[in-house]
Amino acid sequence: QVQLVESGGGLVQAGESLRLSCAASGRTFAGYAVGWFRQTPSKERAFVAAITWDGSMTNYADSVNGRFAISRDNAKNTVYLQMNYLTPEDTAVYYCARYLTLYYNGDPVYWGQGTQVTVSS
């Protein structure tokens, strides 16, 4: 059983930064790709960023490329999402998710409960 717990969300002003964390319990993150997704009430869940099992490769949605950075610490069983220069359009519930593979191909299978990020203008 894989349990993912996100933390670090909150209310910030436009231009500020936040760092989200995703901690895994049960089966570890090591050996699997992990991604971050986000969802607003009016939109479907959307891809934000992903990282390979060893951190050697990352991928970002165009909307966050250059502002967000995904990283991981397998020793701590934790994946991070550093979010800089936040805008109100980044307001959403952010989810981390684990893939079944080393690389971020296919769809993730295990999901966290989400953490709310709200950016005021």
Side-chain angles (χ1 to χ4, degrees), residues 51-65:
I51 188 166
T52 54
W53 69 281
D54 60 351
S56 62
M57 295 173 57
T58 58
N59 190 32
Y60 297 93
D62 289 343
S63 59
V64 307
N65 196 20

Side-chain angles (χ1 to χ4, degrees), residues 61-83:
D62 289 343
S63 59
V64 307
N65 196 20
R67 299 188 298 123
F68 290 12
I70 187 171
S71 61
R72 66 189 299 160
D73 185 339
N74 285 342
K76 294 183 178 180
N77 238 8
T78 302
V79 172
Y80 305 97
L81 184 67
Q82 177 67 42
M83 305 186 296

Side-chain angles (χ1 to χ4, degrees), residues 68-104:
F68 290 12
I70 187 171
S71 61
R72 66 189 299 160
D73 185 339
N74 285 342
K76 294 183 178 180
N77 238 8
T78 302
V79 172
Y80 305 97
L81 184 67
Q82 177 67 42
M83 305 186 296
N84 300 321
Y85 304 107
L86 286 162
T87 74
E89 289 68 37
D90 295 316
T91 295
V93 177
Y94 283 72
Y95 299 89
C96 72
R98 205 207 80 182
Y99 293 78
L100 287 178
T101 57
L102 298 173
Y103 300 91
Y104 32 80

